[in-house]
Amino acid sequence: MPAKFVIRFTHMITPQTIQQITSRIDIIDVVGEFVKLKKRGTNYLGLCPFHNEKTPSFTVSPAKEIYKCFGCGKSGNTITFLMEHEKYSYVEALRWLAARYNVEIEETEVSDAQRQQQLATDSLYIVNGFAQKFFTQQLFETEEGQAFALTYLQEERGFNKEVIEKFSLGYNPSAKDTFAKAALQHQFSAELLLKTGLVTTRNEALQDNYRNRIIFPIHNNTGKIIGFGARVIGKAPEKAPKYINTPENELYVKSRILYGAYFARQMIDRLDECLLVEGYTDVISLHQAGIENVVASGGTSLTTEQLRLVKKYTNNLTIIYDGDAAGVKAALRGLDMALEESLNVKLVLIPDKEDPDSYVKKIGAAAFREFIAGNKKDFVLFQLEVLLREAGNDVNKKNEAVNQVAETLSRINKAEDFTKQQEYIRQCAQLLRIDESGLITLVNKYKRERIAKEEKKLPFEAVEPSAIPAALVQENIDLIINGDDLQERDVLRVLLEYGLQLWDEQRTMAQYIFDELEGYAFENPTLEKLYNIYERQYQQGLEPSAKTLLYHEDAEIRELIVGITMFPFELSMRWNEKSDKKNIGMVDSHEDVFKSIHYFKLRKLKHMFEQNQRDMEESKSLEEQMQLIKVHKELKMMQEAITKQFGTVIFK
């Protein structure tokens, strides 16, 4: 999380309270609520929730209690994850964690800057919550709502009261400004109401945007309402859309939403399958029938973000669409993206011009389940069947079909899916009546073309770190981070890692570092700030460490801690190589601290030499030159003393 401002808290949560919360945090438990994680060695790996990626580069370290995406660079701890992902303030994140781990916490105020940043998001949640209650009240407690909307939902759509209440359905009355008046009376600003899309401006007055419509609240993964869908009752008037949705804002981003995911997520996880339909009413009808592992795309083309929401809970996706031409076309649009996400995709087409909503009511829940189980078609093979049926005896169209299926199969590009790809190639070659080796060649051709195309536009940072040789990464790090930053970061690394250990019988390693660096300054002000914070807390009798400072109220400090502790390559590895040590990475703590401190000091002495040399060249007075020569000799003696301790000259 970028920190372009100074954080000033009017009140602080006591360190004891924060310690109670942070001591109980399980970062895998919290992050795993939002990201599907797989164990990889000592860490966990998943697809980054902050940017689009096909290869997992989002790493969570349970030992260090931090996460880092090596694609987009996002990093932090459990609290910053909640702040980034759920748009919580620092205090809101603490409160969320406190509630999860049963820790009592006192209310506190956040910084002015954070308050302003959070205000828009909080306001949208509040007005959406107010709107949902208003619309539900209008549905159940007004004469108009009961006579028109509730009757329509129960008698024409066949929804019972339980499922209506479960999904918090509501009704916006037909009068032009019933909701607008109520919202203004509750002190919601016109600007905020317009942003939600709940109202619009006509003749310089606020009017309801969803008049005479059934309201479908849309929930995020934690159950908060982020927007609404609004459907006309019965047939839509001329030129009026059947559905209206919330315009995109801080909460509502259409491409990242699956309707019903909040209600379906546990059952999807339990059954290891997600059923995907098009509309809101499809989801509600299936839930009413007891089929709860179902979500809706909202009638739009599937997006990568939506598929990744599914993948958080399962790799098995069954798409249920209408059996007409439009339904088939809509289903096939998501095929390539689903394959790239390594989802196992099946397709079920509802017959007789029905949709899931009407068909489950027609045949009943048990028969619908049997129909789904018995009519799943493999997505890739179904696409090929459709293409061949359309091609008929046309040779050119058959060639197009061959190329299209080869291009589709080339998107199955993950190592773990190799066997799946080979089986598809075998079956498709049989259906196409072509040589299997020829289809393999064509698939590989499309794969090479796509890789070449992506490499031209892919930034260096998007390359998976594990695919790059360690030596090459180290060389690039040295180029990116200047020498001063590298040495200063390494001093902070050893301070955070070993500071509370004993250096000798009288001193801790932290005290040894403070003594050795007295009189030496940091070039980087942020690094110096962290060094000073650590020293101040240490002198106050606290026990600062990477873990305690990871939850510091200053976002800049939190980010720096993550950057230092997650940094994959350390100077100590280079020192081991120079010392011809066989076990690179096996570093003695005393030696690590000693070399970090003295390398830092040598770097600073080098700067002093260079500056002294420049001063001598510019000096015009003999007296001044003599003084500078004396300084040069003193610096030289200091350098020789340090390098003698090292036993080797580290730089020339």
Side-chain angles (χ1 to χ4, degrees):
M1 171 176 175
K4 302 294 184 186
F5 49 83
V6 176
I7 296 186
R8 294 189 304 273
F9 287 83
T10 55
H11 292 84
M12 294 285 289
I13 298 175
T14 63
Q16 292 81 4
T17 305
I18 295 176
Q19 188 175 20
Q20 283 186 53
I21 297 169
T22 56
S23 66
R24 300 187 194 187
I25 287 175
D26 180 347
I27 192 169
I28 302 300
D29 169 49
V30 175
V31 175
E33 179 86 10
F34 308 95
V35 181
K36 189 169 185 179
L37 298 170
K38 287 187 178 179
K39 200 169 192 311
R40 188 71 58 86
T42 58
N43 295 329
Y44 287 75
L45 202 63
L47 291 170
C48 180
F50 302 118
H51 83 292
N52 293 331
E53 63 175 1
K54 298 171 185 176
T55 303
S57 59
F58 183 79
T59 302
V60 184
S61 169
K64 296 178 179 177
E65 296 185 13
I66 51 182
Y67 65 87
K68 168 93 174 168
C69 176
F70 290 95
C72 68
K74 290 276 189 183
S75 62
N77 55 45
T78 310
I79 292 175
T80 55
F81 179 87
L82 291 170
M83 291 170 69
E84 285 280 357
H85 194 273
E86 293 300 292
K87 307 301 180 188
Y88 289 160
S89 69
Y90 179 70
V91 173
E92 284 286 336
L94 285 172
R95 289 172 59 193
W96 190 94
L97 289 164
R100 190 178 187 88
Y101 295 110
N102 298 316
V103 177
E104 289 189 15
I105 186 172
E106 297 178 4
E107 286 289 334
T108 186
E109 294 186 29
V110 298
S111 67
D112 293 339
Q114 282 183 313
R115 188 181 298 106
Q116 291 301 318
Q117 185 181 18
Q118 190 65 28
L119 185 59
T121 300
D122 288 344
S123 298
L124 286 171
Y125 278 130
I126 292 168
V127 73
N128 285 344
F130 168 80
Q132 178 269 309
K133 289 181 175 65
F134 174 86
F135 294 138
T136 299
Q137 183 183 39
Q138 293 295 313
L139 176 66
F140 285 107
E141 299 179 18
T142 67
E143 186 177 337
E144 180 184 339
Q146 292 174 353
F148 295 100
L150 194 57
T151 299
Y152 169 78
L153 287 171
Q154 292 180 326
E155 296 182 9
E156 293 191 40
R157 304 302 307 202
F159 297 149
N160 59 38
K161 185 179 180 184
E162 289 74 20
V163 82
I164 293 172
E165 290 178 340
K166 176 179 180 178
F167 284 88
S168 304
L169 303 189
Y171 172 65
N172 195 162
S174 56
K176 66 179 182 179
D177 57 1
T178 309
F179 171 75
K181 283 181 177 177
L184 290 172
Q185 285 173 0
H186 279 77
Q187 307 301 310
F188 292 112
S189 69
E191 182 183 3
L192 176 63
L193 292 171
L194 288 166
K195 195 173 191 179
T196 65
L198 292 165
V199 302
T200 186
T201 304
R202 291 191 182 93
N203 300 321
E204 299 183 357
L206 293 184
Q207 295 187 11
D208 293 0
N209 202 25
Y210 301 153
R211 295 195 305 277
N212 197 31
R213 288 178 180 264
I214 301 295
I215 306 298
F216 298 84
I218 298 168
H219 303 76
N220 66 11
N221 283 349
T222 60
K224 287 189 174 184
I225 295 171
I226 57 176
F228 300 90
R231 188 196 191 282
V232 294
I233 296 176
K235 189 176 180 180
E238 189 177 351
K239 296 183 179 180
K242 182 188 289 188
Y243 282 95
I244 303 175
N245 290 98
T246 296
E248 296 211 347
N249 55 42
E250 286 89 341
L251 302 183
Y252 186 87
V253 181
K254 196 171 186 179
S255 64
R256 300 177 185 173
I257 294 167
L258 285 172
Y259 179 74
Y262 173 68
F263 301 101
R265 67 198 194 286
Q266 292 180 352
M267 192 58 70
I268 292 171
D269 187 52
R270 189 180 306 168
L271 299 178
D272 197 21
E273 181 185 30
C274 177
L275 306 181
L276 177 70
V277 295
E278 283 192 273
Y280 303 148
T281 55
D282 294 326
V283 170
I284 296 170
S285 287
L286 291 177
H287 268 263
Q288 182 169 282
I291 302 168
E292 298 184 0
N293 58 323
V294 57
V295 298
S297 59
T300 60
S301 298
L302 275 174
T303 66
T304 301
E305 292 95 335
Q306 289 172 329
L307 290 168
R308 285 174 182 163
L309 282 176
V310 171
K311 199 173 179 183
K312 282 170 54 178
Y313 305 110
T314 181
N315 286 324
N316 301 309
L317 176 64
T318 299
I319 300 178
I320 307 174
Y321 276 170
D322 304 353
D324 56 18
V328 171
K329 191 174 180 181
L332 293 178
R333 276 198 296 266
L335 172 62
D336 289 347
M337 288 184 294
L339 291 175
E340 288 176 352
E341 295 302 318
S342 295
L343 288 166
N344 303 314
V345 186
K346 303 293 182 184
L347 176 66
V348 175
L349 296 178
I350 303 295
D352 305 325
K353 297 183 179 179
E354 303 274 2
D355 56 33
D357 173 26
S358 63
Y359 199 56
V360 72
K361 290 168 183 169
K362 181 177 180 179
I363 66 173
F368 188 88
R369 282 195 183 91
E370 290 177 9
F371 176 80
I372 297 298
N375 289 273
K376 292 179 183 179
K377 297 177 181 288
D378 183 273
F379 218 175
V380 174
L381 300 180
F382 175 77
Q383 180 198 39
L384 182 54
E385 288 174 9
V386 171
L387 292 171
L388 288 176
R389 190 162 56 243
E390 291 176 350
N393 296 321
D394 189 317
V395 176
N396 290 330
K397 285 188 176 181
K398 186 177 179 182
N399 283 336
E400 289 175 7
V402 172
N403 279 282
Q404 188 167 335
V405 78
E407 202 276 336
T408 293
L409 293 177
S410 72
R411 295 179 179 274
I412 306 174
N413 56 10
K414 294 182 180 176
E416 59 266 31
D417 296 331
F418 177 76
T419 304
K420 181 198 293 186
Q421 186 188 60
Q422 295 303 302
E423 181 59 22
Y424 273 135
I425 288 173
R426 186 187 66 77
Q427 293 185 51
C428 290
Q430 288 180 354
L431 288 170
L432 289 163
R433 296 180 182 177
I434 61 174
D435 182 59
E436 189 175 324
S437 62
L439 184 55
I440 291 172
T441 301
L442 192 57
V443 168
N444 289 336
K445 170 181 171 289
Y446 278 109
K447 192 178 290 187
R448 285 193 302 271
E449 287 177 356
R450 193 174 65 258
I451 290 171
K453 185 177 179 181
E454 288 178 353
E455 281 181 346
K456 288 180 181 178
K457 64 181 181 180
L458 212 63
F460 172 78
E461 291 83 357
V463 181
E464 190 176 9
S466 59
I468 308 170
L472 183 59
V473 174
Q474 184 62 66
E475 289 173 12
N476 277 285
I477 288 171
D478 285 350
L479 290 172
I480 294 167
I481 303 177
N482 65 56
D484 290 320
D485 260 13
L486 197 62
Q487 313 312 320
E488 292 174 0
R489 281 173 178 269
D490 207 59
V491 166
L492 289 168
R493 176 186 64 80
V494 296
L495 181 62
L496 292 165
E497 189 170 351
Y498 309 121
L500 302 179
Q501 296 181 22
L502 287 176
W503 173 261
D504 53 34
E505 292 182 0
Q506 285 79 37
R507 294 180 295 178
T508 61
M509 292 200 182
Q511 191 58 57
Y512 166 77
I513 292 170
F514 300 147
D515 293 344
E516 287 292 318
L517 295 190
E518 189 173 355
Y520 289 88
F522 281 74
E523 297 291 329
N524 185 314
T526 307
L527 299 176
E528 185 176 39
K529 180 166 73 171
L530 175 56
Y531 181 82
N532 290 336
I533 288 171
Y534 187 104
E535 185 175 16
R536 186 164 58 250
Q537 289 192 5
Y538 180 86
Q539 301 300 351
Q540 289 171 349
L542 302 174
E543 295 187 347
S545 65
K547 184 174 179 179
T548 62
L549 290 170
L550 189 61
Y551 299 101
H552 195 274
E553 65 271 14
D554 190 329
E556 192 174 35
I557 295 301
R558 295 196 301 267
E559 283 191 354
L560 186 54
I561 294 292
V562 172
I564 291 170
T565 54
M566 282 290 279
F567 211 68
F569 300 101
E570 299 168 354
L571 286 175
S572 56
M573 294 179 68
R574 286 247 182 122
W575 295 327
N576 285 345
E577 292 168 359
K578 291 176 185 294
S579 303
D580 296 325
K581 290 208 173 190
K582 292 181 181 179
N583 297 321
I584 294 174
M586 301 294 289
V587 185
D588 175 78
S589 58
H590 280 72
E591 183 182 10
D592 197 7
V593 171
F594 179 83
K595 288 185 175 179
S596 292
I597 295 306
H598 286 76
Y599 200 85
F600 172 91
K601 291 162 75 172
L602 285 168
R603 186 83 192 179
K604 299 305 175 187
L605 286 172
K606 184 181 180 183
H607 282 315
M608 294 179 196
F609 270 122
E610 292 168 349
Q611 183 60 50
N612 196 63
Q613 185 65 36
R614 286 193 294 270
D615 291 343
M616 285 199 306
E617 291 171 0
E618 295 172 3
S619 174
K620 294 183 172 54
S621 124
L622 179 61
E623 184 180 349
E624 186 178 0
Q625 285 185 356
M626 294 299 292
Q627 183 63 35
L628 291 169
I629 290 171
K630 184 179 178 182
V631 170
H632 178 85
K633 288 180 179 179
E634 289 175 354
L635 291 172
K636 191 69 176 174
M637 289 172 62
M638 292 171 66
Q639 179 191 358
E640 288 173 356
I642 294 171
T643 53
K644 187 176 180 181
Q645 284 182 293
F646 259 141
T648 180
V649 177
I650 296 180
F651 70 91
K652 300 182 188 224

